[in-house]
Amino acid sequence: MSPALRVRDLSVYFGGLKAVDGVGFSVEPGVVCGLIGPNGAGKTTLLNCLTRITRPTSGSIEAFGRDVLRLPIHAITRIGMMRTFQNLELFGDLTTLDNIAMGCAHRFRTGLLSELLALPSARRAREAAYGEAEAMLVELGLAEHRDRRVSDLSFGTRKNVELARALCSRPKLMLMDEPAAGLNGAESAELGRRIRRFATERGITVLLVEHDMPLVMSACDKIVVVVQGRKIAEGKPEEIRRNPEVIDAYLGEG
């Protein structure tokens, strides 16, 4: 089976600084892959390359056989890639339902003229988007917050809203940048279970950048470790946990 994601010899230089230095790995469909390493290791820069925010100095990126570096930024979601951010990117003055429905926008887009004239096609698209958002509210336990402004919700609940919005886009590859940041232990454990469930039940491939090691070790099928821009290890969680170089550079003896 072809990988959902393949990164080959990726490098990003900012002047004389090597933020990413020859990193390569692949992720098979339906696999949850953790990308870990200390602060400044190059993890977010790598994610920025995957979503075309940062142009790599060299190397290649393929998603589902497509050359990502040849795609315009707006086409990333069309091939099934979706990203969540460490800092929440939600519309605080809109309701939970409105925010989640926006995840469907690229699939139900009907054109500016149809929207301005309120044509039947635009109304049908809106109804379809909000119908899916309603179902996602129930699935993620957010129904009680349906009509509340997102800015009035707790941080953990807003994290779930962002996840629901991402899932409404029907991603094939989800890039998650520190989704457990700011969550307590119970919320983080629940997030790990959800990530595993979505990968298993929906066949979503996940690249997870995270510092929460209990979450990474429980949710991931494989882990890639980067330190100072270089990949130092790749393997199953139990292999990474015992890897002397990873212990010395990142995990610590504990």
Side-chain angles (χ1 to χ4, degrees), residues 100-244:
I100 295 174
M102 288 182 181
C104 306
H106 73 283
R107 293 193 292 112
F108 295 115
R109 183 167 294 151
T110 55
L112 179 60
L113 184 60
S114 296
E115 295 287 345
L116 289 175
L117 298 178
L119 296 179
S121 59
R123 291 197 298 272
R124 288 193 296 270
R126 179 181 174 84
E127 290 170 1
Y130 274 83
E132 289 198 19
E134 294 274 11
M136 193 60 66
L137 277 169
V138 174
E139 183 173 350
L140 266 67
L142 293 166
E144 65 181 293
H145 305 296
R146 179 186 188 277
D147 299 315
R148 295 183 63 189
R149 289 195 316 171
V150 162
S151 59
D152 295 332
L153 303 177
S154 69
F155 186 79
T157 302
R158 279 182 281 157
K159 283 275 190 176
N160 279 336
V161 173
E162 185 180 46
L163 178 59
R165 184 178 64 180
L167 290 170
C168 259
S169 73
R170 294 188 183 176
K172 294 189 291 183
L173 172 60
M174 181 105 66
L175 311 175
M176 307 186 75
D177 191 0
E178 299 193 32
L183 301 184
N184 61 39
E187 291 170 335
S188 177
E190 176 59 25
L191 173 64
R193 289 189 288 269
R194 282 178 172 164
I195 291 172
R196 279 252 47 100
R197 186 171 76 249
F198 295 140
T200 302
E201 296 178 359
R202 297 171 182 254
I204 298 174
T205 307
V206 179
L207 182 63
L208 173 67
V209 174
E210 187 52 72
H211 287 290
D212 186 325
M213 285 301 101
L215 169 60
V216 170
M217 292 297 173
S218 64
C220 294
D221 301 296
K222 66 181 289 187
I223 298 173
V224 174
V225 187
V226 291
V227 174
Q228 295 182 339
R230 297 184 301 105
K231 184 180 81 172
I232 66 168
E234 178 178 354
K236 295 180 180 180
E238 56 269 25
E239 297 170 340
I240 297 300
R241 197 194 308 268
R242 297 193 300 264
N243 186 300

Side-chain angles (χ1 to χ4, degrees), residues 35-107:
L35 180 63
I36 68 172
N39 289 329
K43 306 182 298 298
T44 296
T45 300
L46 200 154
L47 283 191
N48 287 342
C49 290
L50 296 179
T51 50
R52 297 301 317 281
I53 296 173
T54 298
R55 181 78 183 181
T57 305
S58 61
S60 65
I61 303 168
E62 292 181 7
F64 310 106
R66 299 285 299 274
D67 185 345
V68 170
L69 299 181
R70 291 183 177 272
L71 295 174
I73 292 177
H74 67 267
I76 295 297
T77 56
R78 296 179 186 173
I79 66 169
M81 292 177 65
M82 177 56 67
R83 178 177 178 177
T84 65
F85 292 84
Q86 178 182 356
N87 297 318
L88 291 169
E89 301 289 339
L90 297 170
F91 296 92
D93 289 334
L94 298 182
T95 68
T96 297
L97 180 63
D98 289 333
N99 271 275
I100 295 174
M102 288 182 181
C104 306
H106 73 283
R107 293 193 292 112

